[in-house]
Every structure is written in C-alpha cells, then in structure tokens.
Amino acid sequence: MSSRTANPDFSFCKYAAYFQENADPDVQADLLRFFRRLVAEDPSLYAHTTEGPDDMPAHIRSALTGVSLSIPLMAGEPALGTWQGIYLFEHRARPHRREIALHLIGE
C-alpha cells in the first residue's frame, strides 16, 4: 500500500487550513465566533485600511493560524481520524477567489 503526504500551501494568502473535529457543526461556528471576538473588524483599531475594513484583521488572523498543512494520504485518500475534517478558513469578510498549491511527497 502506498503512502504519501499532501502539503497544501497557503503562503501569502489571507486564509488557512487546519484539521478539526468535524462531527458537530457547532465546532466550526464556535471557532468563527472566537476569531471574530479575538480580532475585531473595526477600522478604528488599525492604521492599515487601504484594502478595506476586513484586510488588517485578515493579516492578524493569518499570523495566528498556519499557512501550510500536511495531510497523510493512504491509497490516494486522506487518512484522517474518525471525527476529523479539513477546514478552509477564509480570513476576509468579502468573498475572494483562492488557489491552493499542492505538493505530494512519497510513493
């Protein structure tokens, strides 16, 4: 059986990916509420506002979350735990087109 690792790269982006419990949708909702409280989208708090009121909070959230993730693959499928899921966390409030570079390592 072949095993590989997929390494998506989110460098220079204002979004992140992470493993998280995926059985209860309240987990995702709670995480979003937590980050909104932790990093307020209040333009009066930041000097950098030229790209919109959600830009500087997105920079801060990016600094707090990872920009890369290693996903183990077995037989071409993600080898995740029973309750695990992969979340893509957009740090900006406005929709943006995003691209992910994927690096495969292994046989």
Side-chain angles (χ1 to χ4, degrees):
M1 184 181 300
S2 67
S3 66
R4 287 185 169 169
T5 301
N7 295 305
D9 181 23
F10 308 97
S11 300
F12 308 108
C13 292
K14 294 175 187 129
Y15 66 102
Y18 55 93
F19 293 111
Q20 193 52 258
E21 194 245 88
N22 198 34
D24 184 351
D26 288 340
V27 172
Q28 184 177 15
D30 287 343
L31 284 167
L32 289 173
R33 275 192 298 276
F34 172 78
F35 272 97
R36 286 184 184 131
R37 282 193 313 268
L38 184 66
V39 184
E41 289 186 13
D42 178 355
S44 70
L45 297 174
Y46 312 108
H48 174 69
T49 59
T50 56
E51 295 179 57
D54 65 340
D55 188 55
M56 191 60 216
H59 285 293
I60 295 169
R61 290 179 186 134
S62 290
L64 296 173
T65 57
V67 296
S68 67
L69 181 67
S70 292
I71 304 167
L73 302 176
M74 297 297 290
E77 296 290 326
L80 303 178
T82 303
W83 306 109
Q84 284 183 315
I86 300 170
Y87 283 65
L88 199 61
F89 184 12
E90 171 64 59
H91 295 310
R92 304 256 342 230
R94 297 187 326 240
H96 287 79
R97 181 183 170 104
R98 302 296 189 195
E99 293 183 10
I100 299 170
L102 185 62
H103 307 275
L104 290 176
I105 301 169
E107 300 176 8

